[in-house]
Amino acid sequence: MSQKVLVTGANGKTGRAVIAALAKKGASVRAFVRKVEQGDALKALGAAEIALGDMNAVETIAPALKGCDAIVHIGPPMHPDEKAMTEHFIKAAQAIQLPRFIYYSVMHPLRREVPHHARKLDTEEMLIESGQPYTIINPTRYMQHLEMIWKDVVANGVHGMPFNTHVKFNIVDLLDLAEVTAKVTAEDGHLWASYELAGPEGLSQDDMAAIISEVLKKPVTARQVPLDEMEAKARAGGATDQRIDTMRKMNTHYDHGGFRGNANILRWVLGREPTRFKEYVTRLAKRDGLLA
Ligand SMILES: NC(=O)c1ccc[n+]([C@@H]2O[C@H](COP(=O)([O-])OP(=O)(O)OC[C@H]3O[C@@H](n4cnc5c(N)ncnc54)[C@H](OP(=O)(O)O)[C@@H]3O)[C@@H](O)[C@H]2O)c1
């Protein structure tokens, strides 16, 4: 019988990738969403069923978990209620003695200067102290951040992000992360573990621009986007004051510390070499018909 897994944050970037990876492994996925109209697209990705709910509405959580063998809990990014929302799911999981709780965190939650890292650290502590069997996923920054600026990169040859162009990141492919998340959910041997998942190369914006330039065969240069410019764009997109404050603190922190990590655990769980940035950019360029 296939394992039944509740996936929260199901309609987000991470949730969709995790649903597809779990379905590929034969799991029966129940997608936790706020809007019924999101259901068809998630079913097309491989979800077997939909649970309507809200992470802040505690009464929607136990029914969503009923009959499940595991949960992959993916909280909304930079959310002030991350800990309270996760607590609802931990309590509901404990009430049914759920065998596996996979919590999607971030690498280096102990970097408390960044508010959402601090909240994830507090949440990890709560989960570990609860006694609930868990696996914690700790990813670095996704390669997929490129997709937010991809049009500008392709049209104008400018790779702009809100930190200096020299500081390095071990960015990681979301598809590798989704595969790892599906493996630790569906396979035995990963309980009581926290996995730091980083990409195999330390790359600055300058390095990324050079790799994109090589793939697209056109000049691409890196640009440090001023924080005020980032803020204006985020406000225009409807970001709250809280989110903007978090984004400013995160990018200021990146500006001096970058986001370095080691790919050993990612490589071990995948059982293959993790995706390199050049492979990811090539995939993106082929997707958009920019390469044969
Ligand atoms: N991006 C990175 O580089 C990175 C790196 C490490 C870790 N992470 C972590 O990855 C996680 C997921 O990020 P993401 O970029 O995939 O997020 P995302 O695309 O913004 O998706 C978030 C999802 O959460 C749902 N949601 C928000 N509030 C909810 C509520 N109250 N009840 C139920 N659902 C709710 C949203 O639903 P709607 O569709 O209805 O809005 C959306 O589908 C975050 O915890 C983030 O910290 C990200």
Side-chain angles (χ1 to χ4, degrees):
M1 207 177 67
S2 72
Q3 200 188 29
K4 194 180 281 290
V5 183
L6 183 70
V7 175
T8 68
N11 194 49
K13 280 188 294 296
T14 310
R16 281 182 256 129
V18 167
I19 288 171
L22 276 167
K24 202 171 159 195
K25 282 194 80 69
S28 170
V29 178
R30 185 180 290 164
F32 187 86
V33 291
R34 294 192 283 192
K35 299 163 197 137
V36 71
E37 60 271 22
Q38 293 170 343
D40 287 347
L42 299 184
K43 283 185 178 163
L45 277 178
E49 50 184 321
I50 302 301
L52 260 191
D54 190 300
M55 296 190 210
N56 275 318
V58 67
E59 70 282 1
T60 64
I61 291 170
L65 259 183
K66 197 171 174 205
C68 288
D69 307 292
I71 179 171
V72 178
H73 175 53
I74 306 167
M78 302 183 190
H79 201 287
D81 300 335
E82 171 106 21
K83 188 176 174 199
M85 286 168 163
T86 308
E87 188 174 17
H88 300 322
F89 286 95
I90 295 172
K91 285 189 169 153
Q94 289 186 301
I96 57 165
Q97 297 187 314
L98 190 77
R100 292 180 190 181
F101 194 112
I102 289 74
Y103 173 53
Y104 203 90
S105 183
V106 70
M107 197 176 79
H108 300 166
L110 47 72
R111 291 164 95 169
R112 286 189 167 276
E113 260 181 55
V114 187
H116 66 290
H117 284 229
R119 285 192 290 268
K120 284 190 187 282
L121 183 66
D122 291 342
T123 306
E124 287 191 15
E125 183 181 18
M126 174 180 64
L127 176 59
I128 291 168
E129 292 292 343
S130 75
Q132 164 65 41
Y134 68 86
T135 309
I136 296 172
I137 302 286
N138 297 105
T140 51
R141 183 178 171 87
Y142 301 169
M143 290 182 184
Q144 275 72 5
H145 280 268
L146 175 59
E147 289 171 50
M148 295 181 200
I149 58 166
W150 181 236
K151 274 191 188 147
D152 200 27
V153 172
V154 171
N156 305 316
V158 179
H159 182 283
M161 288 189 177
F163 35 80
N164 77 64
T165 64
H166 314 298
V167 70
K168 290 191 188 274
F169 296 75
N170 283 75
I171 47 175
V172 64
D173 183 5
L174 174 57
L175 296 191
D176 285 354
L177 294 174
E179 192 174 327
V180 165
T181 306
K183 277 173 101 93
V184 305
T185 306
E187 296 175 4
D188 290 335
H190 297 289
L191 287 180
W192 316 111
S194 299
Y195 290 158
E196 284 194 352
L197 301 171
E201 309 156 284
L203 299 173
S204 66
Q205 278 212 73
D206 287 329
D207 299 330
M208 293 177 212
I211 290 170
I212 299 166
S213 174
E214 192 189 332
V215 172
L216 297 183
K217 296 186 177 53
K218 58 179 272 184
V220 178
T221 49
R223 166 180 176 253
Q224 175 164 8
V225 174
L227 286 182
D228 288 344
E229 188 180 321
M230 176 211 71
E231 175 171 336
K233 206 170 161 193
R235 279 198 191 284
T240 61
D241 286 349
Q242 182 278 137
R243 189 169 173 121
I244 283 166
D245 178 61
T246 299
M247 287 169 77
R248 291 190 78 105
K249 286 180 175 146
M250 176 180 79
N251 287 304
T252 302
H253 195 71
Y254 282 166
D255 192 51
H256 66 77
F259 208 175
R260 302 304 307 267
N262 185 299
N264 280 345
I265 298 175
L266 180 62
R267 184 177 291 115
W268 168 66
V269 184
L270 286 172
R272 62 167 170 81
E273 270 308 298
T275 306
R276 299 177 83 81
F277 189 62
K278 188 174 175 186
E279 294 171 291
Y280 162 69
V281 176
T282 303
R283 196 170 84 208
L284 204 55
K286 284 187 174 166
R287 181 198 74 181
D288 291 353
L290 302 170
L291 282 182

